[in-house]
Amino acid sequence: MKENEMIFGIRAVIEAILAEKEIDKILVKRDLQSDLSKELFDALKGKEIAVQRVPAERLDRVTRKNHQGVIAFMPAISYQKLEDIIPFLYEQGKNPFIVLLDGVTDVRNFGAIARTCECAGVDAIVIPSKGSVTVNADAMKTSAGALHVLPVCKEKSITQAIKFLQESGVKVYAASEKAYENYTAVTYDGPVAIVMGAEDTGVSMDNLRMCDQMVKIPQFGTIGSLNVSVASSILVYEVVRQRMNEKH
């Protein structure tokens, strides 16, 4: 990671937080205790910024500079807000097409999903502010430039994003092995959002319960599940296929 994508030193990080700069996450030395560190945690109160306590060696691996036990990572892009994007799409006469990632943490999968979404004309990807992948250099590289043009919305939680989408007239589908319906048996007309879960845990139970419908990709092999970026491609392009058929 380039050093211009990081801020290090407690005072510098506090100033960035107070200036409302976009910060993806902050690494804090595990045993850090001082008046200044207390000031840091006071500044973080009420902010949607992920904080990780890590050993000093982890910080030293990131930078040789005097980090004073604190490093903040800046996003490689500017995140957008779902509440701005959805009305804009409706004003343009478009049916929104959104992909939400619930607990996906692998940056290469994220980059690959973004690449597919951009090619398929998806309007935005939604990630939660905590417990999720963020847009870093690896994700940018794997996306083959897609993350420069595809809006990424970082929302407080996927649950809140689903609720907002439903209130905005968007039908939300969750990909899940627990589903009864095959993904091709469902009609994705009108405004659509698809929720994809992490490979190991899938979409969380709370979010599954909120979605309008669950769909599954049939599998006939012996291993557990498809890679999440492959599964995303399959579902996204089924929506594209149906929308293209509607036009003919």
Side-chain angles (χ1 to χ4, degrees), residues 8-29:
F8 32 82
I10 306 180
R11 175 60 64 201
V13 172
I14 291 170
E15 283 169 7
I17 296 163
L18 296 177
E20 303 281 336
K21 283 201 182 331
E22 282 195 58
I23 296 172
D24 262 341
K25 69 174 175 183
I26 298 175
L27 300 185
V28 178
K29 193 168 68 135

Side-chain angles (χ1 to χ4, degrees), residues 2 13 15 30 38-39 64 72 74 110 120 122-123 134 151 159 166 169 184 198-199 211 235:
K2 298 187 200 84
V13 172
E15 283 169 7
R30 197 167 276 153
K38 186 179 175 300
E39 208 180 308
R64 294 265 172 225
M74 318 303 282
F110 175 48
V122 169
D123 296 302
T134 54
T159 309
Q166 289 170 327
T184 50
E199 286 173 40
C211 289
L235 289 170

Side-chain angles (χ1 to χ4, degrees), residues 176-177 197-202 217-231:
S176 173
E177 291 157 17
E199 286 173 40
D200 48 351
T201 53
I217 299 169
Q219 291 170 44
F220 308 101
T222 52
I223 62 167
S225 63
L226 287 162
N227 169 285
V228 67
S229 76
V230 173

Side-chain angles (χ1 to χ4, degrees), residues 5-217:
E5 292 171 10
M6 299 182 281
I7 299 172
F8 32 82
I10 306 180
R11 175 60 64 201
V13 172
I14 291 170
E15 283 169 7
I17 296 163
L18 296 177
E20 303 281 336
K21 283 201 182 331
E22 282 195 58
I23 296 172
D24 262 341
K25 69 174 175 183
I26 298 175
L27 300 185
V28 178
K29 193 168 68 135
R30 197 167 276 153
D31 54 0
L32 187 70
Q33 281 178 321
S34 65
D35 289 345
L36 212 47
S37 69
K38 186 179 175 300
E39 208 180 308
L40 170 70
F41 285 102
D42 284 345
L44 281 164
K45 277 185 187 142
K47 304 272 193 234
E48 291 300 317
I49 300 172
V51 178
Q52 281 177 272
R53 289 272 193 180
V54 296
E57 309 82 77
R58 169 92 188 271
L59 296 163
D60 293 336
R61 278 204 306 273
V62 175
T63 180
R64 294 265 172 225
K65 300 265 177 80
N66 181 19
H67 51 67
Q68 302 168 313
V70 177
I71 301 174
F73 294 88
M74 318 303 282
I77 59 156
S78 271
Y79 292 113
Q80 300 194 36
K81 284 270 162 227
L82 206 47
E83 64 198 37
D84 297 332
I85 283 175
I86 298 300
F88 175 70
L89 292 169
Y90 281 136
E91 279 163 24
Q92 287 185 309
K94 288 181 78 177
N95 276 331
F97 183 12
I98 309 293
V99 171
L100 301 92
L101 303 182
D102 183 8
V104 173
T105 54
D106 185 287
V107 288
R108 288 184 178 85
N109 276 335
F110 175 48
I113 291 167
R115 187 174 182 172
T116 297
C117 288
E118 205 285 320
C119 289
V122 169
D123 296 302
I125 289 183
V126 179
I127 56 173
S129 60
K130 292 183 181 174
S132 168
V133 73
T134 54
V135 181
N136 66 10
D138 276 347
M140 297 291 279
K141 191 176 170 188
T142 318
S143 80
L147 285 166
H148 286 297
V149 287
L150 175 72
V152 179
C153 302
K154 198 174 194 183
E155 301 296 324
K156 190 168 184 180
S157 70
I158 293 298
T159 309
Q160 284 193 3
I162 293 170
K163 191 164 178 282
F164 172 76
L165 286 166
Q166 289 170 327
E167 286 167 356
S168 305
V170 179
K171 197 163 181 186
V172 183
Y173 299 87
S176 173
E177 291 157 17
K178 300 177 180 75
Y180 297 112
E181 283 292 16
N182 276 345
Y183 76 104
T184 50
V186 172
T187 305
Y188 306 96
D189 51 358
V192 170
I194 293 171
V195 186
M196 303 300 300
E199 286 173 40
D200 48 351
T201 53
V203 177
S204 76
M205 282 310 295
D206 286 349
N207 291 336
L208 281 179
R209 278 193 283 268
M210 281 191 71
C211 289
D212 296 293
Q213 195 167 352
M214 295 193 294
V215 295
K216 69 175 177 184
I217 299 169

